[in-house]
Amino acid sequence: DAKTTQPPSMDCAEGRAANLPCNHSTISGNEYVYWYRQIHSQGPQYIIHGLKNNETNEMASLIITEDRKSSTLILPHATLRDTAVYYCIVRVSRSGGYQKVTFGTGTKLQVIP
Amino acid sequence: DGGITQSPKYLFRKEGQNVTLSCEQNLNHDAMYWYRQDPGQGLRLIYYSQIVNDFQKGDIAEGYSVSREKKESFPLTVTSAQKNPTAFYLCATLWADTQYFGPGTRLTVL
């Protein structure tokens, strides 16, 4: 699975959009970009994933560059409850097969009142 | 209410005692996983099971054991052979190529 690079920390004002970047320059054609977040002392929460098209769900939007070497997770209106560590991971989809999630160090997002 | 439950949230044990961590899911997912997370570190895979009555060792299985007698349940036993058992333990399921995690159990061995 390709390696990802994320900034260690970011601040965002409450109510504003939080844009979390992720670089994955070695991504290969069959690898998906996944985003999870982990609030302190809780289990990781799945947010969104995509292959090459931009994706949106009730939690966030995922923008993947055309060359797929980087992506941005957008939380449109950040709240204090969005304060967490955000993990970007890249991995091959192995339908029906063994899967392992490997988290890097992630980005610690602090939403400020 | 569907989901993954892990109990208890906090667990304390004396050194040398075995302890079993519970993981239950009502999502009807076939595959289940156990991870360990240490402060400032990522996840490390302990065991996984793709179907009932079958499970495989992950990257750090030594000192741990599991069973998968029912689809809904995948308990993890931390044995006295595990050298550094104090950690945050996470159970997960897999559906449509996405892993979903339980709330975790924080085990402290005194």
Side-chain angles (χ1 to χ4, degrees):
Chain A
D1 294 341
K3 183 178 176 179
T4 62
T5 304
Q6 298 177 253
S9 64
M10 291 181 64
D11 290 339
C12 178
E14 190 177 16
R16 306 283 271 213
N19 299 296
L20 293 96
C22 180
N23 285 323
H24 30 80
S25 58
T26 60
I27 193 170
S28 55
N30 61 348
E31 289 184 308
Y32 287 72
V33 180
Y34 280 76
W35 283 84
Y36 286 82
R37 72 180 182 185
Q38 188 171 25
I39 296 169
H40 183 63
S41 293
Q42 296 184 24
Q45 179 187 20
Y46 165 77
I47 301 173
I48 199 168
H49 75 282
L51 183 63
K52 50 185 172 183
N53 296 324
N54 297 339
E55 302 287 345
T56 296
N57 63 21
E58 64 279 4
M59 287 183 68
S61 294
L62 174 60
I63 308 298
I64 303 174
T65 57
E66 195 169 338
D67 63 6
R68 303 208 324 122
K69 293 183 185 298
S70 66
S71 61
T72 301
L73 178 75
I74 301 172
L75 308 178
H77 305 287
T79 72
L80 298 179
R81 286 177 292 185
D82 292 322
T83 292
V85 179
Y86 287 76
Y87 297 100
C88 166
I89 63 172
V90 174
R91 62 179 182 83
V92 176
S93 172
R94 298 187 180 93
S95 292
Y98 159 60
Q99 299 263 8
K100 180 173 73 170
V101 172
T102 302
F103 287 179
T105 52
T107 296
K108 183 173 174 54
L109 175 69
Q110 182 71 49
V111 179
I112 302 168
Chain B
D1 188 21
I4 304 166
T5 57
Q6 291 186 244
S7 60
K9 186 170 177 63
Y10 298 97
L11 190 55
F12 296 88
R13 278 294 182 270
K14 291 183 178 179
E15 194 172 344
Q17 289 181 334
N18 291 355
V19 60
T20 298
L21 281 61
S22 166
C23 177
E24 303 283 329
Q25 56 108 352
N26 60 3
L27 302 168
N28 202 34
H29 294 173
D30 286 317
M32 298 183 74
Y33 298 74
W34 273 105
Y35 292 90
R36 167 183 173 141
Q37 187 175 37
D38 294 282
Q41 297 189 33
L43 302 179
R44 289 187 288 169
L45 180 65
I46 304 172
Y47 267 98
Y48 66 99
S49 168
Q50 292 185 272
I51 55 172
V52 173
N53 293 322
D54 181 71
F55 48 83
Q56 305 294 330
K57 292 181 179 180
D59 299 322
I60 55 163
E62 186 175 350
Y64 299 98
S65 66
V66 294
S67 63
R68 187 83 187 276
E69 298 176 2
K70 299 186 298 181
K71 189 175 186 178
E72 305 78 30
S73 179
F74 190 39
L76 173 75
T77 297
V78 185
T79 75
S80 56
Q82 168 50 232
K83 298 283 186 265
N84 297 297
T86 294
F88 189 46
Y89 290 87
L90 288 159
C91 177
T93 66
L94 177 72
W95 181 78
D97 296 326
T98 298
Q99 291 212 347
Y100 297 91
F101 290 85
T105 291
R106 188 166 298 280
L107 172 66
T108 302
V109 175
L110 306 170

